[in-house]
Amino acid sequence: MKYLFLIVCSFILLSSAFVDNPKLPKPFKKQFKFIPSGLSIVNGDTLSVRSFYMLDHEVTNGEYNAFLSSIEKMNSEKYEKAKIRNKEWSKQLPMSHVDPMEETYHLHEAYKEYPVVNVTHQAAKLYCDWLENRINEKLLKSQRVEVRLPTRAEFIRAGAGNNLDWQYAWGNNKFTNSEGRYLCNFTRIPYSRMSRDDNDELVLKDTKIKIDYISDGAFFIAPKNSYYPNTYDIYNLNGNVAEWLGDSDNQTAGGSWHDYGYDVRLQSVKTYETASPMVGFRPVVTIVKE
């Protein structure tokens, strides 16, 4: 009986491990990183988060253009909803001389590995639906996955892991490593020149101060695998482009290249009512049981 008990316990543990860490098919498993079940702190509440996979980078122009090409002739209505709003560069940054970005960023080969931006929340969800179909086509009929945008709790979990007090994916509040290299893409301004109002919005004490966009190595957006991956081998959860969330139609997490250091925390949330050159996205995958 003793040995039978041990065998049963071993089987249960192995079964639990398998369920909590299922395998994705090639070629997706190389880019989607497994995030084990655990906890996240959201607005002061400790929430339980089930295991999931997250894309290790923000969806790129090359990946998104492949999606657009696949639906352009098949579904014109869906294509209109999903297409890139490249005019948002000049609409939202009218004094920044961004005409070249508007004309080349989304299509030029040089930007193929850069995060796609200027896509709506609805467009990001359409991409997830398309990717879900692609993955499921490679699975047995008895296996199915769901591809979607991450919840805020999942986003924080992917960045902080079991370190619930982490505000940045590298673990401390410094923005450079021991060699003086920046750890993410954000906008720099001396702390002595800023303050916060009652709504926690940034207020500049001197509107004529010089704002530093480029010392982190990127004037606007950085390529998908820039800086350093975190403990789950995921890039750019802080800064670069803010990322659409799945539990809200207009909220993003993580801040962007256009935000300051405090606003690129894992806990940071910002609202956008439309597509923006500051906003991209990345999908998560969960296993659907029969």
Side-chain angles (χ1 to χ4, degrees):
M1 291 295 293
K2 175 181 179 182
Y3 294 108
L4 178 60
F5 176 76
L6 292 174
I7 291 172
V8 172
C9 288
S10 299
F11 177 77
I12 292 173
L13 289 173
L14 288 172
S15 299
S16 298
F18 178 77
V19 169
D20 202 43
N21 191 4
K23 303 300 181 185
L24 285 178
K26 295 179 180 179
F28 305 101
K29 67 180 182 181
K30 289 185 177 180
Q31 294 186 327
F32 279 87
K33 305 303 181 182
F34 180 69
I35 314 298
S37 300
L39 302 175
S40 286
I41 297 178
V42 180
N43 292 334
D45 296 324
T46 302
L47 305 180
S48 178
V49 181
R50 295 187 63 181
S51 63
F52 60 97
Y53 290 84
M54 175 177 272
L55 189 63
D56 66 5
H57 61 275
E58 294 143 338
V59 171
T60 65
N61 284 313
E63 292 166 335
Y64 198 81
N65 284 330
F67 155 63
L68 290 178
S69 296
S70 73
I71 67 169
E72 184 174 8
K73 296 180 179 179
M74 297 173 56
N75 192 321
S76 59
E77 182 179 351
K78 184 179 292 186
Y79 177 80
E80 285 300 312
K81 294 177 180 178
K83 68 181 183 182
I84 298 169
R85 272 64 174 169
N86 61 318
K87 296 295 184 182
E88 294 300 327
W89 279 107
S90 56
K91 285 182 181 179
Q92 297 187 34
L93 301 164
M95 305 298 292
S96 299
H97 308 291
V98 291
D99 290 350
M101 299 296 285
E102 185 174 299
E103 295 169 4
T104 64
Y105 180 77
H106 297 292
L107 294 174
H108 196 284
E109 184 70 17
Y111 292 107
K112 184 178 180 180
E113 297 299 306
Y114 283 65
V116 67
V117 292
N118 291 323
V119 294
T120 64
H121 186 270
Q122 183 184 29
K125 290 173 66 177
L126 289 172
Y127 178 91
C128 290
D129 293 342
W130 171 79
L131 185 61
E132 179 180 305
N133 290 331
R134 289 190 63 204
I135 296 177
N136 281 329
E137 286 174 356
K138 298 181 180 296
L139 293 172
L140 298 174
K141 290 185 178 180
S142 60
Q143 301 171 310
R144 283 293 177 268
V145 300
E146 180 185 24
V147 182
R148 54 181 173 76
L149 297 174
T151 65
R152 188 179 177 197
E154 287 171 334
F155 185 90
I156 295 170
R157 171 74 182 156
N162 293 325
N163 307 285
L164 301 186
D165 60 337
W166 280 15
Q167 290 295 312
Y168 301 95
W170 52 85
N172 58 47
N173 294 332
K174 296 180 180 179
F175 289 93
T176 57
N177 63 14
S178 58
E179 298 175 347
R181 295 179 179 176
Y182 278 98
L183 298 169
C184 71
N185 181 13
F186 69 110
T187 298
R188 283 148 308 288
I189 188 172
Y191 287 111
S192 60
R193 302 295 182 88
M194 65 173 74
S195 62
R196 296 272 166 180
D197 61 20
D198 293 338
N199 295 319
D200 204 32
E201 294 293 330
L202 182 70
V203 177
L204 299 182
K205 297 179 180 179
D206 182 356
T207 58
K208 296 181 179 180
I209 58 176
K210 185 176 181 180
I211 298 175
D212 179 7
Y213 287 104
I214 63 175
S215 62
D216 57 17
F219 186 75
F220 290 120
I221 304 168
K224 67 175 187 178
N225 290 345
S226 297
Y227 310 101
Y228 305 92
N230 73 349
T231 55
Y232 294 127
D233 289 328
I234 298 177
Y235 289 85
N236 293 316
L237 288 167
N238 302 102
N240 208 30
V241 297
E243 301 179 22
W244 287 120
L245 293 173
D247 44 4
S248 172
D249 289 339
N250 60 3
Q251 284 191 333
T252 65
S256 76
W257 60 272
H258 198 249
D259 290 313
Y260 303 100
Y262 180 80
D263 296 319
V264 300
R265 295 169 299 128
L266 297 171
Q267 295 275 355
S268 297
V269 172
K270 196 167 183 177
T271 297
Y272 289 86
E273 298 300 334
T274 186
S276 170
M278 281 71 82
V279 178
F281 70 100
R282 79 175 83 211
V284 297
V285 173
T286 50
I287 307 301
V288 178
K289 300 297 180 183
E290 288 186 323

